[in-house]
Amino acid sequence: MEILENLEQWQAAYEQGWLAHYQETGETDFKIYVRPKNSQAPAGPGIELARSRLALISSAGSYLKASQDPYDAENPLGDYTIRTYPSSTPFEAIAYAHTHYDHAAVNDDPQVLLPLRHLEDMVREGIVGELAPSVISFHGYQPDVTRTVNETIPAIVAAAKAEQIDAALLIPA
Amino acid sequence: MEGIATTLTTWIAGVTRLTAPPRGTFTQLARGSTAGNRHDTAQQRRVLEATLALLAQDAPVELVRLREEVAG
């Protein structure tokens, strides 16, 4: 199943519309941005969470401030890279590079976007089998969906497979 | 995602629904507080538990509305 149906059509509309306008004016005008659309959701069997390994996937632009490069948050064309870091990381070691949401809440209480301590509690309570060793992080501002499909998603899938996860929880910012 | 059961929660149901995700919940929470209001641990747990509970179901599942809102 394709990640995005009609990707070529979407790319043409993006290049002729939003991207052309940006290249001509330097403005990012989301009133003319064509949202990606799918008509069919992927099918798949449910899982027993209490016997599963779960990974948190976050688009909040989080990274380890002492050892990882921040995302290119100021780039109007987006950042399509990913970071991974241990799920047990103390929140004090995590920073957020993303200019498209207000960081006041996440700086005050990181569980609003990275509910890692809640997930650890749910493992202890037997609701979740285990947490994946790593959080999979990316930067959610990605106007070029073709790059998301060709760069970000394969990197996320590879990271998820390396973690041997059964299930994933996506929390967008 | 390639044999991995996935779920999500979103505060922007209209845009999320366009992408046809396999499972998910939506709220009336705000950008930057997707999993619940800051320091409202009870709400954050409710959002998480409801979203993760969908993993037991075969996909696709329609987005499920949670009556969770921005703190008044």
Side-chain angles (χ1 to χ4, degrees), chain A residues 35-38 40-47 49 54 57 100-101 104-105 108-109 111-113 115 118-119 121-122 125 127 156-157 160-161 165-173, chain B residues 1-11 15 17-23 30-41 44-45 48-49 51-53 55-60:
Chain A
R35 297 280 179 192
K37 295 177 186 174
N38 281 325
Q40 283 193 306
I47 51 102
L49 186 58
L54 175 75
I57 302 176
H100 295 266
Y101 70 91
D108 188 30
D109 177 8
Q111 304 239 76
V112 299
L113 291 177
H118 289 317
L119 292 171
D121 289 342
M122 293 171 81
E125 294 164 18
I127 299 169
I156 290 172
V157 170
K161 288 188 171 178
I165 64 170
D166 306 299
L169 168 63
L170 171 62
I171 300 195
Chain B
M1 180 168 62
E2 300 203 11
I4 297 168
T6 62
T7 190
L8 61 81
T9 186
T10 179
W11 51 268
V15 171
R17 193 175 278 117
L18 290 177
T19 64
R23 302 173 188 81
R31 185 193 296 266
S33 296
T34 311
N37 293 308
R38 60 178 105 174
H39 303 302
D40 188 342
T41 56
Q44 293 167 3
R45 277 292 298 251
L48 271 182
E49 290 184 25
T51 303
L52 291 172
L55 289 166
Q57 299 183 38
D58 294 346

Side-chain angles (χ1 to χ4, degrees), chain A residues 47-96:
Chain A
I47 51 102
E48 188 178 352
L49 186 58
R51 294 178 178 272
S52 298
R53 173 178 282 192
L54 175 75
L56 174 62
I57 302 176
S58 168
S59 69
S62 59
Y63 66 100
L64 295 179
K65 53 188 171 188
S67 59
Q68 294 179 329
D69 291 332
Y71 294 92
D72 187 7
E74 301 291 341
N75 189 336
L77 296 179
D79 185 326
Y80 301 82
T81 61
I82 73 165
R83 313 279 185 276
T84 63
Y85 53 82
S87 298
S88 58
T89 303
F91 286 134
E92 296 74 27
I94 298 171
Y96 309 88

